Amino acid sequence: MATTLLEPLAREIEGAREILFVPGGSLHGVPFAALPFRGPTLAERLPVSILPAAEALLSREVKKTGSGLLALGDPAATGGGRRLPAAAEEAGLVAASFGRALPIVGA
């Protein structure tokens, strides 16, 4: 099966950094990542992704939902638990590296 499915694509596979399959019909059940290709499996050669339909690519538009970062750290322990060591400092460092951010610690 691997030879039938993959050899016609050999040139493209050899030069690829990743591969995306959109199988149709009975090919939906094929474990493409596990198929051997000239020795190792496809997954051993490069990242393999499988989409249920090509339309899924159209829905991958990135939509900006915010303009900042909320960094939460060092939550107040309940039930007598201990606070997380250095968590407040880490949340502050993450917030500072992001730019526009609001660190909330100890809440």
Side-chain angles (χ1 to χ4, degrees), residues 13 19 24-26 30-31 36 42 47 56-58 60 70 93 100 103 105:
I13 293 171
I19 190 164
S26 61
V30 174
L42 277 180
L57 290 172
L58 300 175
R60 295 184 49 90
L70 173 62
L93 290 171
R100 292 180 41 161
V105 296

Side-chain angles (χ1 to χ4, degrees), residues 2 5-7 9-10 12-14 16-21 30-50:
L5 293 173
L6 301 179
E7 278 304 320
L9 306 170
E12 288 80 6
I13 293 171
E14 291 289 349
R17 291 183 296 151
E18 62 183 324
I19 190 164
L20 174 66
F21 287 101
V30 174
F32 287 96
L35 293 177
F37 178 69
R38 298 182 177 175
T41 65
L42 277 180
E44 293 171 318
R45 292 175 152 280
L46 67 162
V48 176
S49 298
I50 300 180

Side-chain angles (χ1 to χ4, degrees), residues 26-102:
S26 61
L27 293 178
H28 276 283
V30 174
F32 287 96
L35 293 177
F37 178 69
R38 298 182 177 175
T41 65
L42 277 180
E44 293 171 318
R45 292 175 152 280
L46 67 162
V48 176
S49 298
I50 300 180
L51 289 178
E55 291 83 13
L57 290 172
L58 300 175
S59 67
R60 295 184 49 90
E61 180 183 330
V62 177
K63 296 177 181 166
K64 189 173 182 179
T65 58
S67 60
L69 169 82
L70 173 62
L72 303 173
D74 196 18
T78 59
R82 297 183 310 161
R83 296 185 85 117
L84 300 172
E89 180 183 358
E90 183 178 6
L93 290 171
V94 168
S97 70
F98 189 83
R100 292 180 41 161
L102 172 63

